[in-house]
Amino acid sequence: MRYLMLIHQDETTLGGNPEQMKQLYADWGAFNEALAKAKGSSPGERMQPASAATTVKVRAGKTTVVDGPYSDTKEQLGGYYFIEADNLDEAIKWAELCPASKYGGIEIRPIVPAGGY
Amino acid sequence: MKDEATQQAERVARESYGRLVAFLAARTRDVAGAEDALAEAFATALASWPRDGVPRNPEAWLLTVARRRQTDAVRRRRTRTAGEEHLTMIADEIAAAAEAPEEIPDRRLALMFACAHPAIERGMRTPLILQAILGLTAEEIAAAFLITPATMGQRLVRAKGKIKDAAIPFAVPERTALSERLDAVLEAIYAAYGRGWAESGDAETPALAGEALWLARLVVSLLPDEPEAKGMLALMLYAEARRPARRGGDGSYIPLEEQNTKLWDRDQIVEAEALLRLANAGGPSGRYQLEAAIQSAHVARRLTGAATWPAVVALYDHLHALTASPVVALNRAVALSETEGPAAAWTALEEVARDKRMADYQPYWAARGHLAQATGRKDDAHEALTVAMGLSTDPAIRSYLREQIDALVDG
């Protein structure tokens, strides 16, 4: 099973003192390293904050471009990674390992298999 | 008059339903698909057994037919894609269907862990287990949960879809996660038992209590080393043993201290005591073990006159340290009335009252009414007993409280 792991976090509470940031970067480095070694997984990518988001909709041939993310909630999508796992419990382990699970939340979304219904 | 083949199919259905569903779904994680395949297999059996005779191993026969149905269904779904993986799976399934095992491995425990997985909505874990393991229909389950069969049906479909789509594992969790996950399984089963009590004033034998006891016995037999499973079964048996004494001939409510102990089911009490002893061999540790021990103390007091109230208070202290539940604090306050007197109990109750959840909790107001009465607070007693009556849906409890209020006014 392939799972998309979506990282949600409250952007306003991100950051900290230099010592905390150093620790956080080290944690992320280690996590990405582990992810890179795991078969079928792809290391995370970090997104610019939601303030950099633009949402596009086309309705009846007319395009609307709106400043901001698709849904304006306190916790925003901040990044993602893919993992390959036998089942949900394994995917949950990969969510627990992700540093963002300590300050945000990881949404686990199973990917519809190729040729799926 | 049902013929032998029909009776045989029904017997196999009752005894083997969960075993067959668990076995069929273990590989595909498709509970709904397994149930469908099994339903077709039962229909086939009812058509062919009266004609050809009941097979020597009816379970294996049903499994073989159900697996063919399952394979057909997979094939129908996959013709569009015909990926290599799917062809392999079909080949596997056909090979497996050709030789049904004499003894079908018991995967029911794994299925229960899937149904009570934390990724399944909490309120749906009990209905899911009742359907997947016992084969209860959405109508039967809906009746106990006071929602429409259509809504229950939809929620069951959604929950089974989640198991399949998110690939919730069919497995007994590893040692490290076992106790936490087992809590969810036990909670789901105990909730079924609670539904059994709550039904229609529990005057007649409730349908779900028996099913819950059956499931609890199953878990105890499949996980013989888990003390909490035994503790929960013991707790259920203590309650079950007293059921015949909880109501008078006219359906009136009879509190524990006034019950006729001759009406208690001694076999169930003996079994509960034995289970509790086994569970406590390593020291009482879990919630269910402690609650069962409290019931054991009540039973001993009523049967032998032993002074067990201090033990009850001590056990509630342990339970409160474990759960921090206001309901436990309430029960402890009531027990305190028997050891240190109503004044001390009233003080403890005032502490409990700070929890906002008590505002519409019927047992709180009933306890408050009785303690107010015992400490000479007549107005408080009148108010609390009236609120308790207003919060009760059970006619027997309401009329019991009505009598208490009347006695208060007359006295």
Side-chain angles (χ1 to χ4, degrees):
Chain A
M1 286 284 294
R2 200 163 160 76
Y3 296 90
L4 170 59
M5 314 289 273
L6 298 163
I7 298 166
H8 297 273
Q9 58 200 22
D10 183 350
E11 290 171 355
T12 60
T13 62
L14 287 183
N17 66 42
E19 191 49 44
Q20 287 168 329
M21 292 312 283
K22 213 175 122 195
Q23 183 60 49
L24 187 61
Y25 278 114
D27 286 347
W28 269 107
F31 174 69
N32 283 333
E33 195 76 18
L35 205 55
K37 293 266 190 297
K39 191 174 159 284
S41 306
S42 25
E45 288 189 81
R46 188 157 67 114
M47 295 172 184
Q48 295 287 358
S51 58
T54 307
T55 303
V56 179
K57 288 178 187 174
V58 181
R59 296 288 183 273
K62 189 177 177 302
T63 300
T64 353
V65 177
V66 179
D67 169 45
Y70 184 75
S71 63
D72 202 8
T73 50
K74 192 155 154 282
E75 303 224 305
Q76 282 293 336
L77 188 60
Y80 66 89
Y81 56 102
F82 286 95
I83 57 130
E84 183 69 35
D86 275 348
N87 58 50
L88 185 62
D89 280 354
E90 273 188 33
I92 289 171
K93 282 201 185 108
W94 276 110
E96 288 169 341
L97 288 170
C98 178
S101 65
K102 313 283 188 297
Y103 54 84
I106 317 289
E107 179 179 338
I108 303 175
R109 296 292 292 263
I111 299 294
V112 176
Y117 34 90
Chain B
M1 182 68 191
K2 285 174 185 170
D3 55 35
E4 196 212 337
T6 311
Q7 281 174 2
Q8 181 86 338
E10 283 175 359
R11 187 185 62 76
V12 174
R14 233 185 358 261
E15 288 174 11
S16 317
Y17 185 85
R19 193 186 284 262
L20 289 169
V21 167
F23 189 70
L24 286 164
R27 177 92 171 277
T28 58
R29 299 187 185 110
D30 184 356
V31 177
E35 287 171 339
D36 288 348
L38 203 54
E40 283 190 51
F42 275 108
T44 310
L46 286 178
S48 77
W49 290 2
R51 190 184 62 229
D52 307 332
V54 175
R56 194 178 47 84
N57 183 344
E59 247 181 52
W61 189 98
L62 285 165
L63 184 63
T64 305
V65 176
R67 282 188 123 164
R68 286 208 191 103
R69 294 279 178 279
Q70 220 181 3
T71 311
D72 289 347
V74 169
R75 193 186 285 135
R76 272 200 301 277
R77 222 166 33 228
R78 298 300 188 196
T79 36
R80 283 177 290 131
T81 54
E84 197 182 332
E85 193 187 326
H86 305 137
L87 287 176
T88 314
M89 183 183 163
I90 288 168
D92 279 3
E93 293 285 350
I94 289 171
E99 41 168 322
E102 278 295 297
E103 276 292 313
I104 295 161
D106 198 339
R107 305 255 162 85
R108 283 177 294 182
L109 193 58
L111 177 56
M112 279 193 264
F113 276 104
C115 292
H117 195 277
I120 297 287
E121 187 196 335
R122 197 181 197 135
M124 281 311 292
R125 294 175 195 165
T126 303
L128 207 48
I129 287 177
L130 290 171
Q131 179 147 84
I133 303 287
L134 295 170
L136 297 193
T137 63
E139 287 77 19
E140 289 165 325
I141 300 167
F145 285 77
L146 306 175
I147 62 172
T148 68
T151 306
M152 180 54 82
Q154 281 164 5
R155 289 197 196 158
L156 283 165
V157 167
R158 212 182 307 139
K160 286 174 204 164
K162 174 80 182 261
I163 291 179
K164 184 162 173 266
D165 296 339
I168 289 175
F170 275 59
V172 176
E174 296 161 22
R175 203 70 226 167
T176 47
L178 181 62
S179 98
E180 200 179 318
R181 290 284 177 87
L182 180 61
D183 278 351
V185 172
L186 297 181
E187 184 186 291
I189 295 172
Y190 197 70
Y193 188 76
R195 289 282 159 189
W197 270 118
E199 273 168 71
S200 63
D202 66 46
E204 65 257 42
T205 304
L208 284 189
E211 309 289 13
L213 275 165
W214 192 90
L215 287 169
R217 286 185 195 282
L218 181 64
V219 174
V220 168
S221 72
L222 295 174
L223 280 175
D225 295 333
E226 290 301 321
E228 271 292 84
K230 292 194 188 78
M232 184 185 73
L233 178 55
L235 178 60
M236 288 179 177
L237 286 168
Y238 282 122
E240 206 54 25
R242 299 203 300 253
R243 189 189 291 282
R246 291 184 85 235
R247 297 287 142 138
D250 54 353
S252 60
Y253 168 73
I254 304 174
L256 172 66
E257 301 308 317
E258 291 160 30
Q259 286 172 17
N260 177 2
T261 56
K262 289 200 176 62
L263 296 175
W264 289 359
D265 185 319
R266 293 305 160 97
D267 290 344
Q268 286 178 326
I269 289 174
V270 167
E271 191 188 355
E273 295 283 325
L275 281 162
L276 186 59
R277 255 198 313 280
L278 283 174
N280 288 356
S285 51
R287 175 205 149 184
Y288 292 110
Q289 283 161 272
L290 290 166
E291 287 194 48
I294 289 167
Q295 295 310 315
S296 174
H298 286 317
V299 166
R301 184 182 62 253
R302 287 298 326 274
L303 288 181
T304 68
T308 59
W309 280 112
V312 170
V313 173
L315 285 163
Y316 274 127
D317 282 337
H318 282 297
L319 197 55
H320 193 257
L322 195 70
T323 62
S325 152
V327 173
V328 173
L330 174 66
N331 289 326
R332 183 188 169 277
V334 173
L336 211 56
S337 166
E338 304 290 339
T339 55
E340 295 184 24
W346 181 262
T347 310
L349 188 84
E350 294 283 50
E351 190 66 30
V352 177
R354 290 195 206 172
D355 194 299
K356 286 196 189 71
R357 283 168 288 185
M358 293 295 111
D360 58 354
Y361 187 60
Q362 198 270 347
Y364 165 76
W365 289 103
R368 187 183 171 85
H370 293 129
L371 287 177
Q373 219 172 336
T375 52
R377 296 174 167 82
K378 218 169 167 181
D379 291 346
D380 278 333
H382 194 277
E383 183 208 18
L385 290 172
T386 308
V387 175
M389 204 174 112
L391 287 172
S392 178
T393 51
D394 184 334
I397 302 266
R398 271 208 307 273
S399 74
Y400 172 79
L401 291 167
R402 172 88 263 163
E403 284 164 27
Q404 304 273 311
I405 293 168
D406 289 346
L408 203 63
V409 175
D410 298 341

